[in-house]
Amino acid sequence: MKIFTPPASLFPSFDENASLLLQEAASIGMWEFNVGEEKVYWSAGTKEIHGVSSDFQPNLTQAIKFYKEGYHREKIQRDFEDAMSNSKKFDGHYLIMTATGKEKWVRSVGVPVLEKGKCVKLYGVFQDIDFQKKAQLELKQKEQKFRKTFTNAPNGVALVSLAGNWIQVNPQVSKIFGYTVDEFNTLKLHDLNYPGDVPINEILTDQLLSGDIENYQAERRFVHKTGKTIWALLSVSLVKSEMSDPDYYICQITDITSLKNAKHRIEDLLSKTEGQNEKLLNFKHIVSHNLRSHTSNLDMLLTFLKQDIPKIEESSVFQMLENAFGNLEETIENLSEVSSFENVTSEDFVEINIVQIIDKTLASLNTLFHEVGGTVKVEIPAELRVMGIPEYLRSIFLNILSNTITYRREDTCLKVVISTSQNDDYTIIHFTDNGLGIDLDLHGGKIFGLYKTFHRNENSRGLGLYIVKNQIEALGGCVKVESTVGKGSTFKIYLKR
């Protein structure tokens, strides 16, 4: 916008008061420079823009120094000299530093007056454009930021017209669909729609334009340029004009094809695994039943042999046969015990009083503790309850307390303390003993492994802790161990509150 109000002296019929009012309303001031006399004239408006007093009388050097040092000062000097030397009018935007030290954008217009082809005077207008210029620069910065964000966004971003035409797409959209930016100019949004799916345009028109929803988000199938199917997470918002009329859509597109394919593979794997687990479960029951039938038959045959041939028990071969049969029975019993904790559901859980379960477990071990001179101290509130399966808890407590007896120190009276603590999710039962302890640096990674033992004890099967771990996990908990060789161990049983 070019605004220039000439001095009233050029138009004698022009109302001077009206001119001043117009200048003030537009934040405009007048200036003149007489080349021969080297005099500078500033109107009241020009002085106000510069922040100087009404009696300030500048010279050319002072006027030039108001311009910000560097580019703006050098530019006004070039424009001023070009106007005087070559009779060229100038009209530019400059930064000045007011008398109060404030940086301000101004527009300065200069017009040369010639006599006999020589510039004798320059006159012009001076306008405060600080607010407009800063708003313009701020808008430009925002546009640059938006353009950078639009171009460099990791997801696809597109502007789509209400008719479904692609207004603008970023490089990521081209990468997702395989089309160049120029090719998108010839396409519509529905051209990429998967055959048979509800057209996106219809959804947007029915819901966004009607005002039923403010934005739309869904997983959608599209067709790539190569013809392959791609999955995308599509997020759409409606942009409105200043008059609140629908203007265009902004779409964010995220390629989730790999995630969808991975999900399908996982679902297929889970389906196959579920079928295999069902077959294994049936196989386990069949094998368990058949093995028990055969062992029962073998046991009967061995009994008959001893009855018919009493002296056969003296035979070393028969003794070896009995030992082998005993090992077979133990193996079958172990496998049955290990496979007993599966398919636990929430319906199997009941409220359990911990102290009552511990008392029943200690009652069954009372004789053993008495024989070794061991003591058990229970420091658990009588009202403490958890949700679980009673049989599992009895088995867990029995295995842990049995281990304290099996792996006690012969030179020290066995002492066991059972206590409890809680956090936000779990009730934690602590079993602390003063037994042999476990070298966690050496065995920490395999304590709960099947058939793993850590002390030379002829009664150790390496099965108890394996069962403990699996039964606790079946209850939705976990087990942790703290142990020091020669000082004892603490097993912490985490049970869901």
Side-chain angles (χ1 to χ4, degrees):
M1 179 180 68
K2 296 184 177 180
I3 299 176
F4 173 65
T5 305
S9 58
L10 296 180
F11 299 95
S13 62
F14 193 79
D15 190 315
E16 186 173 351
N17 291 329
S19 176
L20 292 174
L21 287 173
L22 288 172
Q23 292 178 37
E24 183 178 352
S27 297
I28 293 176
M30 310 297 299
W31 64 269
E32 288 184 11
F33 174 66
N34 189 304
V35 177
E37 298 177 1
E38 292 192 358
K39 286 186 177 180
V40 176
Y41 164 77
W42 279 359
S43 69
T46 301
K47 293 178 181 180
E48 184 177 351
I49 293 173
H50 282 80
V52 296
S53 62
S54 59
D55 59 352
F56 181 76
Q57 297 297 329
N59 57 40
L60 182 59
T61 301
Q62 289 173 326
I64 294 294
K65 283 186 177 181
F66 274 96
Y67 289 79
K68 187 173 181 179
E69 188 176 4
Y71 169 80
H72 295 278
R73 187 178 297 177
E74 293 169 2
K75 185 176 185 301
I76 191 61
Q77 286 177 326
R78 287 196 304 271
D79 292 343
F80 206 83
E81 291 171 1
D82 204 21
M84 289 193 296
S85 302
N86 302 312
S87 304
K88 288 186 178 181
K89 173 186 172 181
F90 64 85
D91 184 349
H93 295 175
Y94 312 87
L95 270 176
I96 66 169
M97 301 297 295
T98 68
T100 59
K102 180 182 177 182
E103 189 176 273
K104 181 184 291 186
W105 279 98
V106 297
R107 178 188 180 195
S108 183
V109 179
V111 179
V113 177
L114 304 179
E115 288 184 4
K116 298 180 181 181
K118 184 177 180 182
C119 179
V120 295
K121 183 186 294 186
L122 285 174
Y123 68 88
V125 294
F126 207 75
Q127 183 181 13
D128 183 348
I129 60 169
D130 191 62
F131 178 79
Q132 300 94 314
K133 187 69 175 181
K134 287 180 178 177
Q136 181 184 20
L137 292 174
E138 184 179 0
L139 178 61
K140 185 177 180 180
Q141 289 176 349
K142 288 181 178 179
E143 289 176 346
Q144 289 176 344
K145 286 181 180 179
F146 173 78
R147 192 176 296 109
K148 288 181 181 179
T149 302
F150 185 87
T151 303
N152 300 313
N155 299 327
V157 182
L159 306 182
V160 181
S161 72
L162 299 181
N165 296 307
W166 299 89
I167 299 173
Q168 189 175 0
V169 299
N170 72 346
Q172 195 65 22
V173 174
S174 296
K175 183 178 179 181
I176 291 172
F177 294 109
Y179 294 95
T180 65
V181 173
D182 291 336
E183 287 173 327
F184 270 103
N185 294 330
T186 64
L187 296 172
K188 287 182 174 289
L189 183 61
H190 64 75
D191 292 332
L192 306 180
N193 198 64
Y194 186 84
D197 285 358
V198 178
I200 301 171
N201 292 38
E202 292 183 12
I203 297 174
L204 300 181
T205 301
D206 293 343
Q207 299 184 47
L208 279 176
L209 291 181
S210 64
D212 294 339
I213 58 175
E214 293 184 357
N215 52 67
Y216 167 82
Q217 185 177 72
E219 294 180 359
R220 297 282 308 190
R221 287 183 296 182
F222 294 95
V223 179
H224 191 270
K225 183 180 180 180
T226 59
K228 69 179 181 180
T229 301
I230 59 175
W231 279 93
L233 178 63
L234 177 66
S235 302
V236 185
S237 298
L238 178 65
V239 179
K240 297 183 179 180
S241 66
E242 293 181 357
M243 303 300 293
S244 296
D245 296 323
D247 200 356
Y248 60 90
Y249 301 113
I250 182 167
C251 304
Q252 297 185 56
I253 307 165
T254 305
D255 187 351
I256 59 171
T257 306
S258 59
L259 294 177
K260 273 289 184 181
N261 292 338
K263 181 181 178 181
H264 290 321
R265 288 195 296 269
I266 291 172
E267 288 174 349
D268 291 341
L269 180 61
L270 288 175
S271 178
K272 291 178 181 179
T273 302
E274 185 176 354
Q276 291 172 348
N277 285 342
E278 185 68 25
K279 291 179 181 179
L280 287 172
L281 183 61
N282 293 333
F283 176 76
K284 185 209 76 173
H285 290 311
I286 293 171
V287 171
S288 177
H289 177 270
N290 291 346
L291 285 176
R292 288 183 183 279
S293 297
H294 292 311
T295 53
S296 296
N297 291 335
L298 285 173
D299 187 36
M300 290 177 61
L301 289 174
L302 288 174
T303 302
F304 289 155
L305 280 174
K306 287 189 285 187
Q307 290 175 352
D308 293 346
I309 311 173
K311 290 188 178 182
I312 198 172
E313 293 186 67
E314 299 175 3
S315 169
S316 59
V317 175
F318 186 82
Q319 292 174 1
M320 292 172 62
L321 181 61
E322 278 194 315
N323 289 335
F325 176 71
N327 291 335
L328 176 61
E329 275 193 314
E330 183 180 353
T331 299
I332 294 173
E333 183 64 30
N334 290 347
L335 291 175
S336 297
E337 191 173 0
V338 167
S339 63
S340 64
F341 32 87
E342 78 260 319
N343 299 331
V344 174
T345 66
S346 58
E347 296 177 356
D348 300 318
F349 283 59
V350 296
E351 190 176 74
I352 302 171
N353 184 294
I354 292 292
V355 173
Q356 289 179 1
I357 294 292
I358 290 175
D359 288 344
K360 290 179 180 179
T361 305
L362 289 175
S364 64
L365 295 172
N366 183 56
T367 302
L368 292 176
F369 272 103
H370 181 72
E371 287 180 356
V372 301
T375 60
V376 180
K377 186 177 181 181
V378 180
E379 299 177 343
I380 296 179
E383 69 279 1
L384 181 63
R385 286 172 168 77
V386 296
M387 296 300 293
I389 301 174
E391 293 79 7
Y392 279 21
L393 283 185
R394 278 196 289 268
S395 174
I396 293 167
F397 295 166
L398 182 64
N399 272 299
I400 292 178
L401 289 170
S402 297
N403 279 350
T404 63
I405 297 173
T406 303
Y407 302 111
R408 69 188 185 280
R409 284 187 287 159
E410 296 292 343
D411 58 343
T412 304
C413 291
L414 173 61
K415 293 182 180 180
V416 180
V417 177
I418 307 175
S419 58
T420 184
S421 62
Q422 291 185 338
N423 60 26
D424 291 340
D425 301 313
Y426 295 96
T427 293
I428 309 164
I429 312 299
H430 304 251
F431 292 84
T432 303
D433 66 60
N434 62 343
L436 294 172
I438 302 170
D439 187 341
L440 296 180
D441 292 333
L442 184 62
H443 303 297
K446 54 185 179 181
I447 289 178
F448 300 102
L450 185 61
Y451 296 123
K452 299 296 182 181
T453 59
F454 314 104
H455 299 286
R456 295 179 180 178
N457 189 304
E458 60 182 12
N459 295 321
S460 298
R461 295 184 298 165
L463 190 64
L465 291 182
Y466 177 82
I467 292 174
V468 165
K469 178 178 183 294
N470 282 271
Q471 287 182 324
I472 293 173
E473 289 178 351
L475 295 175
C478 63
V479 57
K480 297 181 181 180
V481 183
E482 297 173 358
S483 188
T484 303
V485 175
K487 292 186 178 181
S489 305
T490 296
F491 282 78
K492 296 181 179 181
I493 310 303
Y494 287 72
L495 301 172
K496 281 284 187 179
R497 295 185 64 175

